[in-house]
């Protein structure tokens, strides 16, 4: 889930006395948090000649520079200031997102902002602020707070140096690093207000297609490392997708009382955790999904759905456009310009057998 900062409002805001979790204080923490991130960034070239920079970091930054050039030459992604600088934020996440959903629904609560429109999350640079906001929400809602390693300013800050590479993802395996860069750059190609699933599914499609193309030119070791990483991810997403579908069927069954729905939901959630435990036995001790599973609820399931929902349709559109990225982006822009209902109908037509998720889980 990537967070757009409403930096255009900077002239309207003051520090004031508002809480950092709501109102004016929320925008102020967004602005100051992003400015601090920008100030921490230095050009990649400077890091590469810095005698105090660790050799492993230099190696990863040099690779990131090649990935950035590949994004332009092979994927037709924007050639601009973004991802030519690096910042060490001294923390594990770029931002922390808060999502919420009712106890018997996979529909995310939404919040509306200038420029970004209405989205199914709120982002905070401080984990403390994120959790404070989460605690302030209606206790009947299911809430999740999770770290986000990267976000996009949609190109609005390229004049000031663009979005930087960050310590929060620079250590990822080569294939995953490439995917993150491609994903975030794709948000600068197309962004539609009030349609998180469209935006994130498009970016996920670009990262998958671009990542696969990048790996064909990488080392055998990089491909092997990525295959291990990606196989775990695919297995976990398949499990969460099946779980979402089971929950959705329960929630939408008009013949069931709420008490029965809650009982059946508990069974599904227990089954989800049992299946995950079985899945992990083949992962040689990898526990990266444990935090998600421990806190899994309607909010976290619904947030994840936005990244997967329309991917099959976008992949079909890419094939229709002759696997040409520039033509693909033009076709996506054309879809983006249509009313939301028409846009979703067109996506269903592109991959009808894969559209198993209903409007109920779209943020």
């Amino acid at each position: 889930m990537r967070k757009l900062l409403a930096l255009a409002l900077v002239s309207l805001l003051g520090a004031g006395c508002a809480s950092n979790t709501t109102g004016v204080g929320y925008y102020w923490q967004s602005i100051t948090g992003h400015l601090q991130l920008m100030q921490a960034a230095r050009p990649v070239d400077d890091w590469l000649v810095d005698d105090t920079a660790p050799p492993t970091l230099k190696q990863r930054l040099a690779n990131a520079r090649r990935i950035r050039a590949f994004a332009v030459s092979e994927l037709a992604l924007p050639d601009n200031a973004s991802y030519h600088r690096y910042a060490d934020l001294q923390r594990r996440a770029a931002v922390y997102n808060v999502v919420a959903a009712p106890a018997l629904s996979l529909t995310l609560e939404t919040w509306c902002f200038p420029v970004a429109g209405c989205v199914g999350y709120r982002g905070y640079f401080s984990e403390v602020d994120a959790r404070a906001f989460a605690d302030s929400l209606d206790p009947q809602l299911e809430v999740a707070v999770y770290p986000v390693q990267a976000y996009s300013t949609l190109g609005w800050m390229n004049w000031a140096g663009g979005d930087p590479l960050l310590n929060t993802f620079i250590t990822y395996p080569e294939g995953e690093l490439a995917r993150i860069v491609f994903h975030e750059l794709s948000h600068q190609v197309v962004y539609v207000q009030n349609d998180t699933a469209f935006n994130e599914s498009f970016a996920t499609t670009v990262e998958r297609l671009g990542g696969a193309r990048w790996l064909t030119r990488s080392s055998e070791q990089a491909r092997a490392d990525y295959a291990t990483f990606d196989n775990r991810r695919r297995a976990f997403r398949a499990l969460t997708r099946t779980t979402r579908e089971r929950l959705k069927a329960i929630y939408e069954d008009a013949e069931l009382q709420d008490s029965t729905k809650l009982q059946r939901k508990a069974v599904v959630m227990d089954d989800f955790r049992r299946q995950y435990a079985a899945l992990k036995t083949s992962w040689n001790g990898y526990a990266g999904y444990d935090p998600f599973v421990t806190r899994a609820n309607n909010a976290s399931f619904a947030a994840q759905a936005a990244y997967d929902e329309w991917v099959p349709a976008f992949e079909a559109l890419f094939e229709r456009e002759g696997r040409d990225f520039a033509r693909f982006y033009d076709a996506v822009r054309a879809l983006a310009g249509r009313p939301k209902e028409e846009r979703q109908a067109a996506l269903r037509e592109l991959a009808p057998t894969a559209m198993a998720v209903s409007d109920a889980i779209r943020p």
Side-chain angles (χ1 to χ4, degrees):
M1 302 267 165
R2 276 68 176 183
K3 174 180 174 294
L4 172 65
L5 301 173
L7 295 170
L9 297 181
V10 65
S11 63
L12 303 178
L13 303 179
C17 58
S19 164
N20 280 345
T21 62
T22 58
V24 170
Y26 175 76
Y27 291 109
W28 184 247
Q29 69 86 30
S30 295
I31 292 167
T32 56
H34 185 71
L35 290 178
Q36 290 169 0
L37 180 150
M38 297 285 283
Q39 290 169 356
R42 294 165 50 200
V44 168
D45 288 346
D46 288 0
W47 286 96
L48 294 178
V49 298
D50 186 342
D51 292 337
T52 65
T56 53
L57 174 61
K58 290 185 178 183
Q59 181 181 13
R60 292 179 181 279
L61 290 175
N63 204 33
R65 187 166 59 178
R66 290 190 289 271
I67 289 169
R68 185 64 179 88
F70 181 90
V72 175
S73 64
E74 300 296 326
L75 309 183
L77 287 167
D79 186 5
N80 56 35
S82 290
Y83 304 109
H84 292 288
R85 300 189 304 152
Y86 170 74
D88 185 346
L89 304 180
Q90 303 292 314
R91 60 178 186 262
R92 69 189 183 104
V95 291
Y96 298 86
N97 276 356
V98 181
V99 290
L104 292 174
S105 173
L106 291 171
T107 300
L108 287 175
E109 296 290 298
T110 59
W111 294 274
C112 298
F113 308 99
V115 184
C118 298
V119 294
Y121 56 89
R122 282 175 68 108
Y124 292 86
F125 282 93
S126 163
E127 184 175 9
V128 171
D129 286 345
R131 296 197 179 280
F133 176 69
D135 291 342
S136 75
L137 295 174
D138 186 338
Q140 296 187 35
L141 292 171
E142 295 188 354
V143 180
V145 178
Y146 59 93
V148 177
Q149 278 60 49
Y151 67 88
S152 173
T153 57
L154 310 185
W156 280 61
M157 293 302 293
N158 280 322
W159 63 273
D163 299 331
L165 299 160
L166 300 173
N167 66 293
T168 56
F169 60 84
I170 197 67
T171 60
Y172 281 9
E174 179 181 319
E176 191 65 11
L177 173 60
R179 282 175 57 133
I180 288 176
V181 172
F182 302 155
H183 183 110
E184 299 305 336
L185 282 172
S186 68
H187 284 310
Q188 299 188 29
V189 175
V190 178
Y191 181 86
V192 182
Q193 281 195 346
N194 308 327
D195 200 339
T196 301
F198 182 90
N199 296 326
E200 295 300 347
S201 294
F202 164 65
T204 298
T205 303
V206 174
E207 74 167 66
R208 290 184 185 180
L209 297 171
R213 188 170 293 192
W214 167 262
L215 286 168
T216 63
R217 306 186 185 188
S218 299
S219 68
E220 183 176 343
Q221 184 61 53
R223 288 192 290 272
D225 291 344
Y226 181 74
T228 299
F229 191 98
D230 195 46
N231 286 339
R232 289 192 298 251
R233 172 170 47 205
R234 288 178 181 272
F236 184 71
R237 286 186 173 177
L239 174 59
T240 57
R241 182 171 57 251
T242 300
T243 303
R244 289 198 308 265
E245 291 169 356
R246 293 177 66 188
L247 291 172
K248 172 179 172 290
I250 293 169
Y251 300 157
E252 293 184 350
D253 191 334
E255 296 183 0
L256 296 179
Q257 298 291 326
D258 284 356
S259 58
T260 303
K261 290 181 179 181
L262 289 171
Q263 291 171 356
R264 295 189 180 183
K265 170 187 175 181
V267 172
V268 170
M269 295 301 293
D270 286 344
D271 193 38
F272 165 68
R273 293 187 171 93
R274 281 195 298 271
Q275 290 185 63
Y276 172 70
L279 193 61
K280 272 185 61 178
T281 60
S282 63
W283 287 355
N284 297 319
Y286 179 78
Y289 295 111
D290 283 9
F292 181 101
V293 174
T294 300
R295 301 188 300 266
N297 59 23
N298 289 342
S300 54
F301 279 125
Q304 187 187 60
Y307 288 80
D308 299 332
E309 182 176 355
W310 298 118
V311 170
F314 282 119
E315 289 177 339
L317 182 60
F318 183 70
E319 294 293 334
R320 193 192 77 183
E321 297 302 322
R323 301 183 63 80
D324 181 285
F325 278 95
R327 285 175 50 188
F328 172 56
Y329 300 153
D330 286 342
V332 174
R333 290 187 188 98
L335 278 176
R338 299 169 67 173
K340 188 171 184 178
E341 291 185 1
E342 290 184 18
R343 186 163 61 241
Q344 292 177 346
L347 288 168
R348 287 192 189 93
E349 290 177 4
L350 283 163
T353 59
M355 297 294 102
V357 184
S358 76
D359 289 338
I361 68 171
R362 290 185 194 124

